[in-house]
């Protein structure tokens, strides 16, 4: 980047940098901490970028803190199909729907949430891509570093995701409750207001869009 005098950067960070937040929804100025190694890598890079900007304020850097991206492009040319047993909820559900796995493991049902299962903010990947475009437009006009939440501002539990998936796609998802995973927290959802104010970004896709597109991408590719 130095060779080509490129001082504009969009960094893909994560909501995991907020650790276990003391309150909800999560704002960009909340204290930062992590509960797992993945989050630590994101937070370390955020610190490096902030130090970079401090040493050279001619940079312009947008740090995008993703919440939980799911879905696929409506053309079904771009989507998600990981190998093996997925670590993330939506591709796990899809593999059960396609009968590649016989059931979904739900990690804990004793959280302090509406139904005992973990609550997360899910964002459609198309909205996420739009957020990147808005961030690029911003950094091309400024010399600053700033952080933005990319999320809908709505939290959905694991069982809400399962029930919505079943309803929209007309398929049954068998599941069993297993022990919590180390590092998982009860609830995590964004306050999206700052991204709206600074980037003119708001999500347009619904949860129904997300579960439909996630499933249809795989259906189209398995034909």
């Amino acid at each position: 980047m130095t060779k080509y005098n490129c001082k504009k950067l969009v960094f893909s960070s994560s909501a995991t940098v907020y650790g276990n937040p003391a309150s909800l929804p999560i704002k960009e100025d909340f204290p930062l901490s992590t509960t797992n190694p993945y989050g630590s890598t994101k937070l370390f890079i955020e610190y490096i970028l902030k130090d970079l900007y401090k040493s050279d304020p001619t940079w312009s850097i947008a740090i995008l803190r993703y919440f939980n991206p799911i879905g696929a492009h409506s053309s079904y040319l771009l989507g998600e199909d990981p190998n093996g047993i997925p670590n993330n909820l939506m591709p796990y559900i899809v593999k059960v729907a396609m009968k590649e796995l016989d059931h979904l493991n739900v990690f804990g049902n004793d959280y302090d949430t509406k139904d005992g299962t973990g609550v997360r903010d899910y964002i459609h990947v198309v909205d996420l891509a739009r957020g990147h475009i808005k961030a690029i437009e911003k950094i091309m006009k400024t010399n600053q570093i700033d952080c933005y939440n990319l999320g809908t501002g709505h939290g959905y539990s694991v069982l809400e995701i399962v029930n919505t998936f079943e309803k929209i796609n007309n398929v049954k998802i068998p599941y069993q409750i297993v022990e919590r995973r180390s590092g998982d927290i009860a609830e995590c959802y964004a306050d999206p207001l700052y991204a709206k104010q600074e980037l003119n970004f708001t999500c347009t896709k619904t949860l129904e869009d997300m579960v439909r597109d996630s499933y249809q991408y795989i259906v189209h590719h398995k034909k």
Side-chain angles (χ1 to χ4, degrees), residues 38-170:
Y38 172 78
S40 296
T41 64
K42 295 295 188 182
L43 186 54
F44 292 163
I45 296 171
E46 285 199 17
Y47 288 149
I48 290 168
L49 293 176
K50 289 171 184 177
D51 285 342
L52 171 64
Y53 180 77
K54 191 177 297 184
S55 69
D56 183 357
T58 61
W59 277 81
S60 189
I61 301 169
I63 294 173
L64 303 182
R65 292 173 178 160
Y66 301 179
F67 279 68
N68 292 69
I70 58 175
H73 192 268
S74 58
S75 67
Y76 305 124
L77 296 174
L78 293 171
E80 184 177 19
D81 186 17
N83 295 323
I85 299 177
N87 291 318
N88 297 322
L89 177 62
M90 186 52 61
Y92 200 146
I93 291 174
V94 171
K95 283 186 180 291
V96 174
M98 297 300 293
K99 302 189 184 306
E100 294 179 28
L101 298 172
D102 60 9
H103 69 276
L104 169 71
N105 283 331
V106 176
F107 296 99
N109 66 345
D110 56 350
Y111 288 103
D112 185 18
T113 60
K114 60 191 84 177
D115 58 21
T117 64
V119 169
R120 298 291 183 270
D121 188 337
Y122 294 89
I123 178 173
H124 197 291
V125 291
V126 171
D127 279 332
L128 191 69
R130 289 179 49 252
H132 284 73
I133 293 170
K134 294 291 189 180
I136 291 169
E137 291 172 351
K138 178 77 170 183
I139 64 173
M140 295 307 292
K141 298 182 292 187
T142 59
N143 292 105
Q144 65 182 57
I145 185 168
D146 214 342
C147 304
Y148 310 96
N149 288 336
L150 293 188
T152 64
H154 300 287
Y156 297 100
S157 74
V158 172
L159 294 185
E160 284 179 317
I161 297 292
V162 170
N163 293 337
T164 304
F165 188 98
E166 290 181 331
K167 177 182 176 182
I168 295 299
N169 295 308
N170 193 30

Side-chain angles (χ1 to χ4, degrees), residues 174-207:
Y175 67 86
Q176 67 178 25
I177 306 297
V178 297
E179 290 185 358
R180 295 183 184 188
R181 293 182 299 190
S182 176
D184 279 355
I185 62 175
E187 292 189 90
C188 178
Y189 57 91
D191 183 332
L193 181 60
Y194 191 66
K196 181 178 181 179
Q197 292 172 338
E198 296 296 316
L199 301 180
N200 191 30
F201 169 76
T202 53
C203 292
T204 61
K205 301 286 189 177
T206 66
L207 180 61

